[in-house]
Amino acid sequence: MQVDTYPQTAAQSLISEPVDAGTAAATILDIRQVKVEISLRSTICDMLKVEERKPMQIPFELLYNARGLQLFDEITHLDDYYPTNNELEILEDSASQLARNFPDGAIIVELGNQKPDHDGFRSNLRKVDLLLSALNRAGKKDIRYFALDLDHGELERTLQNAPRYPNISCYGLWGSYTDGFHWLQNIDQRVDPVTLLFLGSSIGNFSRPDCCDFLKDISRTLRPEKGDALLVAFDHCSDPAKIWKAYHDPDGVHKAFLMNALTNANAVMGYQLFDLEAWRADGEIDPKHSCHQLFYRATKDTLVGDRPFKEGDRLTLGHNIKYPKDEVQRIFHGAGLQQAAQWDNSTQDYSTSGFQKAP
């Protein structure tokens, strides 16, 4: 499928005009307020400039080259990788019920995952297809699905692989979360209800303060008088053994996925920035903060650029908070959002909830 990119000034016709789901080319809107291309090389160089007294963090974009995408897809099909499995279970059971709540002309905006340790668009397409196919079966018309992501290449892959239905059109939004919220708030005559999707328990990738700020941004975007809503997935798992098995499979697919990021960094820089024999992918569970952390541990003394690392030192990658259900209610209430519905998996340790702005 051909994918065309247009400036955000073309957005009005997509919002206000009837859907033409049979168009030959998919559309990506460039909604970036600051025209900054993602440059892995410059991002790595910025990483190397971090003061030695501060932790060095690997850019998560390094995970998703062609090899990384292949490995991540393998991860989402592992039996013990419960985040994808649990969310698919919920959507398989509730997609028809969800679809009934969408009116004709509804706009669906999926907030792309812009941090590590998550289900990305690669696995989310399976989930989105469950919802879109349910909308199609329900006979809903003029549905518009927008995928938001910072990575233009990822948007192209998403749209090329997106399911096709006669009354549903798929578009891309090229930009950050902030760009997406700004775009929604400034489109003239936005009369149709908007549902924001935040799947893959990606809300757990934020720190708790950043999560609160993010939800407040969403709250400012939603219009209660139009029926706007947020559909978000939460990982509530508190079983350390289950969490560990999910991210540390015996076949080493997760480790290969994480180590591939260092291999990719060497390829991007054109020299051996990381001695692969000096690092191993690792992780730990922090039960006090309901958090799973991912990092690299030095297996011997080594250098990354000019910065020395001693055996046992860490390179940070990411984390995922496993929110207790009572904490979910507190943080959403603090952001001015109220829960309208909740769907749980069979073991009650994963949920998908609908929220609206409190009146």
Side-chain angles (χ1 to χ4, degrees):
M1 180 195 298
Q2 180 183 344
V3 180
D4 295 331
T5 301
Y6 297 94
Q8 63 175 315
T9 51
Q12 186 57 45
S13 63
L14 301 183
I15 295 296
S16 59
E17 295 179 1
V19 173
D20 180 7
T23 53
T27 298
I28 294 175
L29 290 175
D30 183 356
I31 62 170
R32 295 170 301 159
Q33 298 175 77
V34 179
K35 308 296 185 183
V36 178
E37 300 283 352
I38 293 177
S39 168
L40 278 177
R41 186 178 181 86
S42 63
T43 304
I44 295 169
C45 290
D46 290 342
M47 175 195 76
L48 296 174
K49 296 174 185 175
V50 172
E51 297 177 26
E52 190 168 332
R53 62 186 178 86
K54 296 182 179 179
M56 183 180 286
Q57 182 158 353
I58 298 296
F60 74 91
E61 298 96 332
L62 287 168
L63 291 165
Y64 296 117
N65 62 353
R67 176 59 176 156
L69 290 172
Q70 178 186 17
L71 288 166
F72 189 81
D73 186 63
E74 290 182 32
I75 288 170
T76 64
H77 288 84
L78 295 173
D79 290 341
D80 288 328
Y81 190 67
Y82 70 84
T84 296
N85 298 331
N86 287 352
E87 197 163 10
L88 286 171
E89 175 195 337
I90 291 170
L91 288 172
E92 287 168 353
D93 290 342
S94 61
S96 295
Q97 180 184 354
L98 279 167
R100 288 195 293 270
N101 294 319
F102 285 82
D104 290 344
I107 297 167
I108 300 170
V109 179
E110 183 175 6
L111 303 177
N113 301 298
Q114 300 174 8
K115 290 177 179 287
D117 192 20
H118 61 255
D119 280 358
F121 275 136
R122 308 147 194 89
S123 64
N124 277 357
L125 276 177
R126 284 190 282 160
K127 304 168 191 174
V128 168
D129 189 24
L130 289 170
L131 177 58
L132 297 186
S133 63
L135 289 167
N136 181 63
R137 291 194 305 273
K140 302 295 183 177
K141 301 184 183 304
D142 294 342
I143 302 296
R144 282 146 290 179
Y145 164 75
F146 292 84
L148 171 70
D149 203 280
L150 273 172
D151 187 337
H152 190 275
E154 178 66 4
L155 283 174
E156 288 184 327
R157 287 188 290 271
T158 297
L159 294 179
Q160 287 167 350
N161 293 289
R164 304 296 298 275
Y165 296 105
N167 290 298
I168 301 172
S169 286
C170 298
Y171 305 98
L173 296 175
W174 183 14
S176 66
Y177 294 139
T178 300
D179 295 327
F181 298 147
H182 182 268
W183 178 76
L184 282 169
Q185 291 166 359
N186 288 278
I187 292 175
D188 295 334
Q189 301 174 7
R190 182 162 67 93
V191 297
D192 294 317
V194 173
T195 296
L196 302 179
L197 302 184
F198 202 41
L199 304 177
S201 63
S202 300
I203 194 110
N205 299 137
F206 293 100
S207 68
R208 281 176 165 89
D210 287 347
C211 177
C212 293
D213 291 340
F214 177 71
L215 292 174
K216 289 176 182 177
D217 287 340
I218 288 179
S219 181
R220 284 189 285 268
T221 302
L222 300 180
R223 307 158 304 164
E225 72 279 5
K226 297 294 185 181
D228 290 353
L230 167 68
L231 192 65
V232 57
F234 292 97
D235 184 350
H236 307 295
C237 185
S238 59
D239 180 346
K242 183 175 180 177
I243 296 170
W244 187 261
K245 286 175 66 177
Y247 296 95
H248 303 269
D249 61 282
D251 294 329
V253 182
H254 267 95
K255 286 188 176 180
F257 172 62
L258 299 179
M259 291 303 297
N260 177 69
L262 303 188
T263 302
N264 191 21
N266 290 345
V268 169
M269 298 304 290
Y271 64 90
Q272 184 176 282
L273 176 62
F274 293 98
D275 177 359
L276 299 182
E277 295 184 356
W279 296 97
R280 76 168 187 268
D282 209 341
E284 69 179 13
I285 297 170
D286 179 358
K288 181 179 179 181
H289 298 99
S290 306
C291 183
H292 175 255
Q293 298 176 343
L294 290 172
F295 54 88
Y296 302 91
R297 192 187 299 276
T299 58
K300 61 182 179 180
D301 294 354
T302 189
L303 290 172
V304 177
D306 296 327
R307 181 165 173 173
F309 285 83
K310 297 289 187 182
E311 181 179 354
D313 285 351
R314 294 184 180 187
L315 274 172
T316 302
L317 180 59
H319 70 267
N320 192 281
I321 297 173
K322 314 298 183 181
Y323 279 106
K325 290 184 178 180
D326 58 344
E327 187 176 0
V328 169
Q329 297 300 322
R330 290 197 301 272
I331 61 175
F332 275 80
H333 179 77
L337 296 167
Q338 63 183 15
Q339 190 176 58
Q342 178 175 309
W343 297 269
D344 294 283
N345 71 317
S346 56
T347 54
Q348 302 290 305
D349 57 4
Y350 204 97
S351 69
T352 299
S353 294
F355 289 87
Q356 293 180 313
K357 188 172 184 176

